[in-house]
Amino acid sequence: GMKSVPTDAPPVSSSFRHRDLAVLFAVTFLAYANISIFFRFYAFLHTLPVDPKQYGWLIGVFSAVSLIFRPLVSPFFHPGNAHRYIRIGAVAAMVSLSAYSLAGGFWSLLLVRSLHGLAFVILGAALMALIVGCIPENRSAQAFGLLSIVILIPNTLIPPVLQYLETALGGFTHILLLFAGITALVFPLVAVFSPSSGSAESGPAHRGLGAVEVLSVLKDVRILLLMGAMLLLYSSHALVFFFLDGYGRHIGISDTGFFLTLATAGEIGVRLAAGNRFDRTNKIHTAAAAMIGLALGFVLLAQARSPMVFFSLGAVVGIGWGIAMPVFNGLVFDLSEPRFRPFNTNLGLQMFQAGFFIGPTIGGYVVAHGGYPVLFIVCAASSLLAAGLTISLKSHTP
């Protein structure tokens, strides 16, 4: 639509624009709900004429697209044009979700997954442009803490009901069609968003870094070690997300989605309980301890046979993630020069996408050749390696 020029925009105060943030959080919830339904994607792939060794690519390409395109498109979005792109991204997501039912083989599915990944990049990056415009300078940690919880909620609510939805609706592709319909709620929500927030002065101006500056970031050993540790953390996180359902069935546990419910409850619980305490601990020790705890959890998961042990490990793993993720993000912030903070924070987000590409791509091979227990031993090993990288930060920190 037309870009509205606010006549009497109120000065941006240090409080949140509550209504706008609520709307944006609702849209964020819908965007991430579109991802949490893919907890059952691996099971769905078994019903198609596709070689199991290729499953990893079909799962991972979604994040590979994000990895390539997010840095390219995000500089173009600003609070003035983001509304339009949120609508475009939502339409593309709805089309992609509907197209899964038409895809029959590897190549058609790869195409649909890629388009869906692109839709999510547009929707997600445009959303971030608006959210950043609504967050006052001095409340950023709090706002991103809230945002991370909103992003996690779909993973708590949706995986456990997928099994029932699949039975009720008659198949996975019908769930995707249902969610394509639910995604349409984005349009009335964006319409509620107050036009004054499209004003130019809201949010810091987005200034890219030059090539020389980027290279100087990449010369900072501490940032590279941190990114390596985060990549390992997120890769094992992705392996659990995509292969847990298959593993649960393999050991005779049917409703595996409940594992993620407990894990996410652990993540959210730890963030609410500890919130600002993480800022007062030695973050290097805290992050390393969390990764060692996760490694232990994965070793036990590889041995798990009873539902009791399986599900309680969900809570354990969730608490590990709930500590590690915010603490790593805090370390990135602490160890970056202020002008590199936006770039490095984005680099951290890229590690998340990279982990969700590398993890499943490797995981598809590991499960096809070695089975599930080997997969969780790989997760444990990568967590220990991440702990090692984190501890080695000490020798590089003045």
Side-chain angles (χ1 to χ4, degrees), residues 76-328:
F76 293 110
F77 298 138
H78 53 80
N81 68 6
H83 304 72
R84 188 182 328 140
Y85 285 103
I86 287 174
R87 290 192 189 96
I88 292 170
V91 169
M94 290 164 70
V95 170
S96 314
L97 284 169
S98 312
Y100 280 91
S101 45
L102 309 173
F106 177 76
W107 292 108
S108 55
L109 203 52
L110 194 70
L111 179 67
V112 172
R113 275 301 267 173
S114 306
L115 289 174
H116 193 197
L118 194 56
F120 185 72
V121 165
I122 294 168
L123 184 58
L127 258 173
M128 276 314 283
L130 279 187
I131 289 171
V132 170
C134 286
I135 295 172
E137 189 77 14
N138 56 344
R139 305 278 289 278
S140 66
Q142 189 186 1
F144 281 108
L146 276 175
L147 182 66
S148 68
I149 288 173
V150 171
I151 288 172
L152 286 170
I153 293 171
N155 275 354
T156 326
L157 303 179
I158 292 168
V161 299
L162 287 176
Q163 205 168 353
Y164 307 106
L165 278 178
E166 207 161 314
T167 316
L169 300 173
F172 181 71
T173 51
H174 293 162
I175 299 181
L176 298 185
L177 288 170
L178 169 70
F179 274 82
I182 293 173
T183 305
L185 289 171
V186 167
F187 304 112
L189 282 168
V190 176
V192 173
F193 193 83
S194 61
S196 69
S197 41
S199 57
E201 86 271 303
S202 69
H206 183 96
R207 188 182 74 78
L209 296 175
V212 180
E213 294 174 298
V214 170
L215 287 174
S216 74
V217 167
L218 299 178
K219 281 207 288 273
D220 186 340
V221 182
R222 298 171 310 164
I223 297 297
L224 293 180
L225 288 169
L226 257 179
M227 292 304 153
M230 288 169 83
L231 180 60
L232 291 162
L233 163 68
Y234 292 132
S235 297
S236 56
H237 184 272
L239 285 173
V240 172
F241 182 81
F242 286 113
F243 294 99
L244 189 81
D245 190 51
Y247 176 56
R249 288 153 187 273
H250 175 70
I251 60 175
I253 295 169
S254 59
D255 201 4
T256 49
F258 189 55
F259 180 101
L260 276 195
T261 301
L262 289 171
T264 314
E267 276 189 76
I268 294 173
V270 133
R271 283 176 193 183
L272 291 177
N276 52 4
R277 285 205 192 91
F278 291 142
D279 283 322
R280 298 201 285 273
T281 61
N282 178 327
K283 291 197 184 77
I284 292 177
H285 292 168
T286 309
M291 294 316 294
I292 291 166
L294 277 171
L296 202 63
F298 292 135
V299 170
L300 292 171
L301 194 54
Q303 322 292 322
R305 291 295 170 268
S306 76
M308 180 73 193
V309 173
F310 180 82
F311 288 121
S312 43
L313 284 171
V316 170
V317 166
I319 289 169
W321 287 337
I323 295 170
M325 290 176 191
V327 173
F328 273 125

